[in-house]
Amino acid sequence: MSLPADTISQQLSEAVLAAMNDATATEVMPRWRALEDHEIRTKSSEWDLVTDADEAAERMLTVALRELVDVPVVGEEATAQDKSLLDLVDGQGAVWVVDPVDGTRNFVAGTEAFGCMVALIDDGRTVASWITYPAVGREAHAARGVGAFLDGERLTASAPKDPAALAGAVSGKYHPDGPDELFARASRLGPAKPIRFCAAWDYLDVVTGVTDFVKFTRTLPWDHAPGALICQEAGLKAARPNGEEYLPGGDVQSGILTAHPSVWDRVATALRG
């Protein structure tokens, strides 16, 4: 571990949350439900949107986070311009990972299902993470070996109420067998629905018991490093579908499955077909 052991302090955690709240209050919320057409653009596809809010909030966070811990910042929007930044996530040393507006499509549509996410990664493993939900005034954060917290209260995930009927959310867009096949497999376990297209909210759903599992196919680090650590520290298992450890810098097509340890293996087996 390259960071000093006492780096992840309560003081740092509060400062990160303050920086996130400042960025979203300044650059995101004033544009929510008030975006002009010229403030919305596409990146790699028509599904991949970026707005002035994403870019401006990331710029603010990049400056603020480096003032707290002066290590490189791997932001979603910066990486869209310089893909080599991804190499920093699984390398030696520490990096910040930032998703300034997770769920940009939802943000553009004017729904509440978007978030701001930050993770601190050291030598390839997530050591701390933070998620804020600006439209509803909530936050979650975690530090490895310390625990997870939701709105200031310790967060402990519960086992599913009905293990015979597991409610899940799955992302089939990038699944090699196609979305219909993945949904069919998930439906054999119980009621299945698509993800919210906002990992911040999908991880909140599973850690609070709204859903019993969530399965993603593509795992870009800014989408999953924050939520996976929060779930793990709350007592859930977030791992590659074959059971291997989830590392944020791994293959982005390897997938990640999150569920209570009591049902994780059964869900993984069912979703593999």
Side-chain angles (χ1 to χ4, degrees):
M1 185 174 188
S2 62
L3 289 172
D6 60 352
T7 297
I8 313 303
S9 64
Q10 182 177 350
Q11 182 180 9
L12 175 67
S13 188
E14 291 173 353
V16 172
L17 287 171
M20 295 168 72
N21 289 334
D22 189 22
T24 54
T26 303
E27 301 292 358
V28 177
M29 293 309 293
R31 293 180 169 95
W32 186 42
R33 297 176 175 170
L35 283 166
E36 302 288 343
D37 288 346
H38 67 85
E39 296 180 296
I40 308 167
R41 296 169 293 285
T42 59
K43 293 190 286 188
S44 60
S45 71
E46 64 180 19
W47 283 90
D48 194 7
L49 298 181
V50 62
T51 72
D52 285 3
D54 297 74
E55 294 175 343
E58 184 171 300
R59 287 193 295 269
M60 278 193 69
L61 278 169
T62 297
V63 173
L65 294 173
R66 293 205 70 160
E67 289 177 348
L68 296 174
V69 179
D70 191 13
V71 297
V73 176
V74 180
E76 178 179 7
E77 307 315 329
T79 305
Q81 303 299 319
D82 180 4
K83 290 183 169 47
S84 69
L85 287 172
L86 267 178
D87 297 337
L88 299 175
V89 176
D90 59 359
Q92 297 296 307
V95 295
W96 292 104
V97 169
V98 174
D99 190 343
V101 182
D102 180 53
T104 299
R105 290 189 63 83
N106 300 336
F107 175 72
V108 169
T111 75
E112 295 178 343
F114 63 94
C116 178
M117 302 205 290
V118 171
L120 184 58
I121 295 170
D122 191 30
D123 291 345
R125 285 184 169 81
T126 312
V127 295
S129 66
W130 301 262
I131 302 177
T132 62
Y133 302 87
V136 296
R138 306 194 75 183
E139 63 87 5
H141 65 276
R144 184 170 295 278
V146 175
F149 300 85
L150 178 62
D151 299 328
E153 300 294 327
R154 183 173 288 275
L155 182 58
T156 302
S158 301
K161 295 185 177 71
D162 185 0
L166 299 174
V170 295
S171 168
K173 182 180 178 184
Y174 300 99
H175 197 273
D177 297 329
D180 292 343
E181 177 59 28
L182 184 61
F183 276 104
R185 294 173 189 172
S187 296
R188 296 183 192 116
L189 292 164
K193 64 181 182 180
I195 59 167
R196 291 177 180 255
F197 293 99
C198 175
W201 278 83
D202 285 307
Y203 282 115
L204 180 65
D205 283 348
V206 72
V207 80
T208 58
V210 174
T211 54
D212 296 315
F213 67 89
V214 61
K215 163 69 168 61
F216 296 92
T217 302
R218 190 173 69 157
T219 57
L220 291 163
W222 44 79
D223 287 329
H224 300 285
L229 182 66
I230 289 168
C231 288
Q232 290 166 342
E233 287 295 317
L236 298 182
K237 180 175 179 178
R240 298 299 185 183
N242 63 3
E244 292 180 358
E245 179 184 6
Y246 163 71
L247 296 174
D251 178 8
V252 300
Q253 304 299 339
S254 295
I256 185 170
L257 170 64
T258 303
H260 194 270
S262 63
V263 298
W264 193 96
D265 287 339
R266 183 156 66 88
V267 174
T269 299
L271 295 183
R272 286 196 296 266

